[in-house]
Amino acid sequence: MAKVRETSSVKEFNDILDNSDSQLVVVHFSALWAPQCKQMNEVLEELCKETEFVNVVFLKVEAEDIPELSEKYQIAAVPTFIFLKKKQVVDRIDGANAAELTKKVKLLSSPTAGVITQQTAAPPKQDLDTRLKNLLNSAPVLLFMKGSPDEPKCGFSRTITQILNDRGIKYSTFDILQDEEVRQGLKKFSNWPTYPQLYANGELLGGLDIVKELVETGELESQLPQQEKLEDRLKKLIKRSNVMLFMKGDPETPRCGFSKQTIGILSEIGVPYDTFDILSDEDVRQGLKKFSNWPTYPQIYVKGELIGGLDIIKELKESGDLETTLKGE
């Protein structure tokens, strides 16, 4: 009977692949803090009990413990499943989908299942440089880190957030573990190869070592923009673009169903818009609800005026008034 094996190093992982020959290898990139991963581990355990999968190799990898493997297989979020045959990737699943996982294991474990050498082209994404510039200018002080201030996923990120918190510095964060495109792209964009990275007014200050040096010389606060009032910041944000959407996540990776639906509708209409990820800034997330007197997200603004949330967007679409509303006509 097959069983889920855990690997803790690149060497051990490669050794397993070397010894798997033509077997199907199913790799679960997981994280202890993610409840979805625990659920999918239980699914894997059930699959292991099936006699038809006796020759399938099931592996579990802690994505954050072996970053070399996570980067190699472009793991942007957990859970992610990679299917390999003869050391080649034949398929993958991003997210927790038990039915799809079972289906693919059955299909790919078949002796007649071959290696997929050509994949369907993905739809075009927003230009990465544009996306990075928008991100860098989304907050006066922005920290790109692993995890969040409440749950940092590496020691360097934990240390730098503690430094900022101890000094009462207000800052926003972006979790690079949730977006492989940003994680790799920003290193080239900023010419800074490691994380965390701290930015002030869209300009790179540096990583943990630089921040420590600035603390020792007493210059850290002077390198950061003066903290503006939240209300003034909100006014600037809602007027940053003619159409401004405050959502959970971003257009490439929406983090809730309502945000995903809104993005879908806006994409159909084709009117240009900008976004702000309210999960990256708790001050904006809570403050905007009071400022707009609108308690939920997403929220969409046109020329600085609140239009509403998803329900309003749906109503405007059904009535045929959405496009003219978004154009401010």
Side-chain angles (χ1 to χ4, degrees):
M1 180 184 295
K3 68 175 183 178
V4 180
R5 301 170 62 178
E6 295 190 28
T7 180
S8 57
S9 69
V10 174
K11 182 181 183 304
E12 184 180 5
F13 180 86
N14 289 334
D15 287 345
I16 292 172
L17 293 189
D18 288 338
N19 295 325
S20 298
D21 195 24
S22 60
Q23 291 172 274
L24 174 67
V25 180
V26 182
V27 187
H28 177 198
F29 283 87
S30 176
L32 293 174
W33 50 266
Q36 303 96 325
C37 292
K38 181 179 179 181
Q39 295 166 5
M40 296 307 291
N41 281 331
E42 294 173 356
V43 174
L44 284 185
E45 295 291 348
E46 290 300 317
L47 291 177
C48 286
K49 298 175 183 178
E50 300 289 336
T51 55
E52 63 180 303
F53 302 140
V54 66
N55 291 320
V56 177
V57 178
F58 294 96
L59 283 180
K60 187 175 76 169
V61 173
E62 287 298 314
E64 294 160 5
D65 292 346
I66 316 181
E68 299 95 329
L69 290 180
S70 295
E71 291 185 10
K72 178 179 179 180
Y73 293 105
Q74 298 183 345
I75 306 302
V78 293
T80 293
F81 294 87
I82 302 295
F83 300 83
L84 301 112
K85 271 193 175 181
K86 296 181 180 180
K87 301 182 183 179
Q88 294 188 53
V89 176
V90 296
D91 214 333
R92 68 183 288 149
I93 297 175
D94 295 286
N97 190 327
E100 187 69 10
L101 175 63
T102 303
K103 176 182 176 182
K104 287 187 182 294
V105 172
K106 286 184 178 180
L107 175 66
L108 297 171
S109 61
S110 167
T112 60
V115 173
I116 300 173
T117 57
Q118 196 169 20
Q119 306 240 350
T120 303
K125 293 185 177 181
Q126 181 186 36
D127 175 71
L128 180 57
D129 280 359
T130 300
R131 188 173 171 221
L132 291 174
K133 289 175 183 177
N134 287 338
L135 271 175
L136 296 180
N137 289 288
S138 65
V141 181
L142 181 60
L143 176 66
F144 289 83
M145 62 179 291
K146 294 182 178 180
S148 66
D150 293 331
E151 294 184 10
K153 300 301 180 184
C154 77
F156 300 126
S157 293
R158 180 178 293 106
T159 300
I160 198 168
T161 54
Q162 185 174 347
I163 289 173
L164 297 175
N165 292 339
D166 288 347
R167 281 154 184 78
I169 296 170
K170 290 184 178 292
Y171 61 99
S172 300
T173 64
F174 185 94
D175 181 3
I176 52 99
L177 296 177
Q178 298 295 326
D179 195 311
E180 189 66 16
E181 184 180 51
V182 170
R183 181 179 184 175
Q184 298 303 329
L186 188 61
K187 289 191 288 188
K188 296 178 181 178
F189 185 87
S190 64
N191 196 28
W192 194 272
T194 59
Y195 290 100
Q197 294 182 18
L198 184 65
Y199 290 77
N201 287 333
E203 298 293 330
L204 175 68
L205 283 185
L208 178 58
D209 289 343
I210 299 297
V211 170
K212 283 183 174 180
E213 290 176 9
L214 291 171
V215 170
E216 290 174 2
T217 60
E219 298 177 274
L220 178 59
E221 283 79 357
S222 66
Q223 297 294 315
L224 301 175
Q226 290 187 341
Q227 302 290 328
E228 64 181 335
K229 293 181 180 178
L230 179 58
E231 184 174 337
D232 293 335
R233 186 174 170 220
L234 293 175
K235 289 177 180 177
K236 289 180 182 178
L237 279 174
I238 64 177
K239 294 179 180 179
R240 192 170 75 185
S241 173
N242 281 344
V243 180
M244 192 72 195
L245 175 65
F246 291 82
M247 61 179 289
K248 293 182 179 180
D250 58 56
E252 305 296 338
T253 52
R255 303 291 294 278
C256 78
F258 299 126
S259 294
K260 185 175 183 179
Q261 289 183 59
T262 304
I263 289 295
I265 293 172
L266 293 179
S267 298
E268 287 179 24
I269 298 299
V271 174
Y273 64 95
D274 197 0
T275 66
F276 184 92
D277 179 7
I278 53 98
L279 296 178
S280 70
D281 193 312
E282 191 65 17
D283 287 341
V284 171
R285 180 179 186 176
Q286 300 303 330
L288 190 60
K289 290 191 289 188
K290 296 179 182 178
F291 182 84
S292 64
N293 195 28
W294 194 273
T296 59
Y297 290 101
Q299 293 181 19
I300 192 162
Y301 293 76
V302 174
K303 296 182 178 179
E305 297 294 328
L306 176 67
I307 300 301
L310 177 59
D311 289 344
I312 301 298
I313 295 299
K314 285 182 174 180
E315 289 177 8
L316 289 170
K317 182 185 177 185
E318 290 173 4
S319 68
D321 296 324
L322 181 56
E323 185 173 357
T324 56
T325 301
L326 295 179
K327 290 180 177 179
E329 297 175 355

